[in-house]
Amino acid sequence: MDPRTLIIIALLFASSIFNGKFASPGDWLMSTLLMLPAVLIGLSLHEFGHAFVAYKLGDDTPYYQGRVTINPAAHIDPIGFVCLLLIGFGWGNPVQINPRNFKKPRRDELLVSLAGVTMNFIVAVLFAVILRIIVAVAPEFIYLNQMGSIVMQMILNIVLINIVLMVFNLIPVPPLDGFNIVTEIFNLRKYSWWYRVYENGFFILLVLILFDITDIVLTPGVLAVYNLIMDILFAV
């Protein structure tokens, strides 16, 4: 890993400690355990979405690499997973594709890039619907039962984490899907600067996170999507 990247990750970890994230180890452990299913589901289905669409569009690379599956073991990057739990930023194991296997490379790469965030949106809506059904059928279980409150929190975490992954990955900075999306829409590879940005993308992204610049897009975007889904489902 690039030494600059390691330094930024260390700074993010130090920032988490400074902000009191681990001040109460018991509370941190409990919140992490409640968040764990959401993280596994969100990362796994995001990468599965990329792999599945690439495979359906004619690229068998993800299939032979064992990525056309929802099994988290195929998609979780150990370092990225630990970073996500400790500093709130992490990554899965990126799906590798071979654009030469596509009939229409630009169109198909765009669809593959959109597949991950689309899958996260579908999962968020699906679990919001599940929560709405549980609340309608067994409100006493959700509101008057300790296990029910835990179940509700886990479901809400799945909804929220998937929305976070969707909005975050739409930021147009490499190696996020948003950069690939604008690349294919505007055919940015024809510009020489594209390759320099792409090669240094992960470092650039970490710097933006360190200085909370990504929050300018992330926070209002996540709140807007979350409130839209909940308002629609719980208004009826």
Side-chain angles (χ1 to χ4, degrees):
M1 185 177 289
D2 189 330
R4 299 174 303 173
T5 298
L6 291 175
I7 292 172
I8 298 297
I9 290 176
L11 288 173
L12 288 170
F13 181 64
S15 176
S16 296
I17 295 175
F18 179 77
N19 292 328
K21 183 173 183 177
F22 309 108
S24 176
D27 291 343
W28 173 80
L29 179 60
M30 180 57 67
S31 63
T32 299
L33 290 175
L34 291 175
M35 193 70 70
L36 197 56
V39 171
L40 291 174
I41 290 171
L43 287 178
S44 300
L45 290 179
H46 179 94
E47 298 301 337
F48 166 74
H50 290 312
F52 179 79
V53 171
Y55 178 61
K56 288 298 182 179
L57 290 173
D59 181 19
D60 54 9
T61 305
Y63 176 80
Y64 287 114
Q65 292 183 343
R67 304 303 301 278
V68 189
T69 176
I70 62 174
N71 183 354
H75 304 296
I76 298 300
D77 179 279
I79 297 177
F81 184 67
V82 171
C83 286
L84 185 58
L85 296 180
L86 293 179
I87 64 177
F89 166 76
W91 55 92
N93 185 17
V95 171
Q96 297 179 4
I97 63 172
N98 184 354
R100 288 177 294 183
N101 291 327
F102 294 141
K103 293 181 180 179
K104 297 182 178 180
R106 276 188 62 194
R107 182 205 65 180
D108 294 346
E109 282 199 67
L110 174 61
L111 293 175
V112 171
S113 297
L114 288 168
V117 295
T118 301
M119 181 63 74
N120 287 135
F121 180 73
I122 292 172
V123 172
V125 172
L126 175 62
F127 276 88
V129 169
I130 290 173
L131 180 60
R132 182 67 181 92
I133 293 173
I134 295 175
V135 169
V137 174
E140 66 284 352
F141 172 72
I142 290 294
Y143 297 117
L144 302 177
N145 184 288
Q146 185 176 9
M147 180 59 69
S149 66
I150 292 175
V151 170
M152 180 174 69
Q153 187 59 57
M154 292 178 71
I155 294 176
L156 285 173
N157 284 343
I158 293 172
V159 174
L160 185 60
I161 287 296
N162 275 275
I163 295 173
V164 169
L165 287 172
M166 180 190 76
V167 176
F168 181 74
N169 274 282
L170 285 173
I171 297 175
V173 177
L176 302 179
D177 297 327
F179 186 74
N180 295 329
I181 291 169
V182 297
T183 291
E184 302 309 333
I185 291 176
F186 300 106
N187 194 22
L188 298 182
R189 287 189 180 88
K190 64 184 179 182
Y191 300 106
S192 59
W193 57 260
W194 183 92
Y195 295 94
R196 292 194 297 274
V197 172
Y198 183 80
E199 290 173 357
N200 294 283
F202 195 63
F203 173 72
I204 295 170
L205 177 62
L206 287 176
V207 171
L208 295 177
I209 293 171
L210 180 64
F211 291 100
D212 294 327
I213 297 174
T214 52
D215 284 348
I216 296 173
V217 174
L218 190 61
T219 300
V222 169
L223 287 175
V225 177
Y226 181 84
N227 290 334
L228 176 63
I229 293 174
M230 291 302 175
D231 288 346
I232 292 174
L233 290 176
F234 285 85
V236 295

